[in-house]
């Protein structure tokens, strides 16, 4: 009996302290898909899988925990955007401006980041396994704790990058 009461109390407390997930602003999603213009929009938790957002203006947009897997973001302006915990697996980010972007805990598995601008990007604990970063500029990016297994860094600018605790195959970084 006491065990059932304790279990019920713990369950109720977990519901009391649970933080509700905030959905994306539906008007912001409509605006983005229609015009590809949505600077400073709140698109947190948005489902934008496979969306064509090439050349979109998403400067300083909130895309935390958004699902952008397989999306086309080539040439998109994402300067200072918040993409923490976003799913960008398989996304096309060729030539995208991701300078000063928060990509903490983001999933960039297999993403195409050729010629992307990632200067001063915060990519702590992000997953970049098998990502293509050919000719990208990652100057002063923070990749501490990131998974870089199989990532292609050919021609990538890596000056002043923080690699502390990053996972690299054989402890090497191929350039």
């Amino acid at each position: 009996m006491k065990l059932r009461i304790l279990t019920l109390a713990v369950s109720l407390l977990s519901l009391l302290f649970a933080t509700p997930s905030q959905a994306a602003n539906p008007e912001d999603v409509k605006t983005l898909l229609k015009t590809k213009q949505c600077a400073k929009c709140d698109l947190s938790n948005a489902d934008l899988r496979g969306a064509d957002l090439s050349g979109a203006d998403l400067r300083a947009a909130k895309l935390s925990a958004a699902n952008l897997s397989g999306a086309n973001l080539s040439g998109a302006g994402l300067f200072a955007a918040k993409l923490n915990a976003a799913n960008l697996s398989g996304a096309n980010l060729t030539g995208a401006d991701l300078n000063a972007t928060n990509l903490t805990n983001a999933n960039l598995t297999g993403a195409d980041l050729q010629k992307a601008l990632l200067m001063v990007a915060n990519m702590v604990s992000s997953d970049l396994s098998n990502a293509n970063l050919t000719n990208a500029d990652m100057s002063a990016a923070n990749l501490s704790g990131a998974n870089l297994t199989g990532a292609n860094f050919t021609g990538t600018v890596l000056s002043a990058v923080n690699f502390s605790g990053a996972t690299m195959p054989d402890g090497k970084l191929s350039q």
Side-chain angles (χ1 to χ4, degrees), residues 47-121:
D47 186 356
L48 296 164
R49 284 176 286 181
D52 180 8
L53 301 172
S54 56
D57 181 3
L58 290 161
R59 288 170 293 144
K62 295 177 185 174
L63 289 149
S64 301
N67 187 349
L68 291 150
S69 60
N72 181 1
L73 290 153
S74 60
L78 290 151
F79 178 83
K82 294 179 181 167
L83 285 153
N84 48 303
N87 182 357
L88 292 150
S89 60
N92 179 358
L93 292 150
T94 303
D97 180 355
L98 294 152
N99 289 328
T101 299
N102 181 354
L103 288 154
T104 303
N105 294 310
N107 179 358
L108 291 146
T109 305
D112 189 350
L113 292 147
Q114 292 181 70
K115 298 181 182 177
L117 301 174
L118 291 151
M119 292 179 281
V120 196

Side-chain angles (χ1 to χ4, degrees):
M1 178 74 161
K2 288 182 180 180
L3 181 59
R4 287 177 56 185
I5 292 171
L6 179 62
T7 303
L8 180 61
V10 169
S11 297
L12 289 174
L13 281 173
S14 66
L15 288 174
L16 179 66
F17 292 108
T19 55
S21 64
Q22 183 180 354
N25 180 331
E27 290 304 312
D28 286 347
V29 173
K30 280 184 193 176
T31 299
L32 173 63
L33 294 174
K34 185 177 179 181
T35 68
K36 293 187 183 182
Q37 303 294 313
C38 210
K40 298 182 182 177
C41 288
D42 186 357
L43 300 163
S44 301
N45 297 299
D47 186 356
L48 296 164
R49 284 176 286 181
D52 180 8
L53 301 172
S54 56
D57 181 3
L58 290 161
R59 288 170 293 144
K62 295 177 185 174
L63 289 149
S64 301
N67 187 349
L68 291 150
S69 60
N72 181 1
L73 290 153
S74 60
L78 290 151
F79 178 83
K82 294 179 181 167
L83 285 153
N84 48 303
N87 182 357
L88 292 150
S89 60
N92 179 358
L93 292 150
T94 303
D97 180 355
L98 294 152
N99 289 328
T101 299
N102 181 354
L103 288 154
T104 303
N105 294 310
N107 179 358
L108 291 146
T109 305
D112 189 350
L113 292 147
Q114 292 181 70
K115 298 181 182 177
L117 301 174
L118 291 151
M119 292 179 281
V120 196
N122 185 358
M123 304 176 84
V124 172
S125 300
S126 58
D127 188 349
L128 288 150
S129 55
N130 299 311
N132 185 358
L133 292 139
T134 303
N135 298 317
D137 189 343
M138 300 185 79
S139 301
N142 187 352
L143 288 164
S144 62
N147 180 0
L148 306 174
T149 306
N152 182 353
F153 289 93
T154 304
T156 303
V157 178
L158 298 168
S159 59
V161 172
N162 179 356
F163 287 109
S164 64
T167 303
M168 295 179 254
D170 302 323
K172 298 178 186 174
L173 184 64
S174 299
Q175 280 191 313

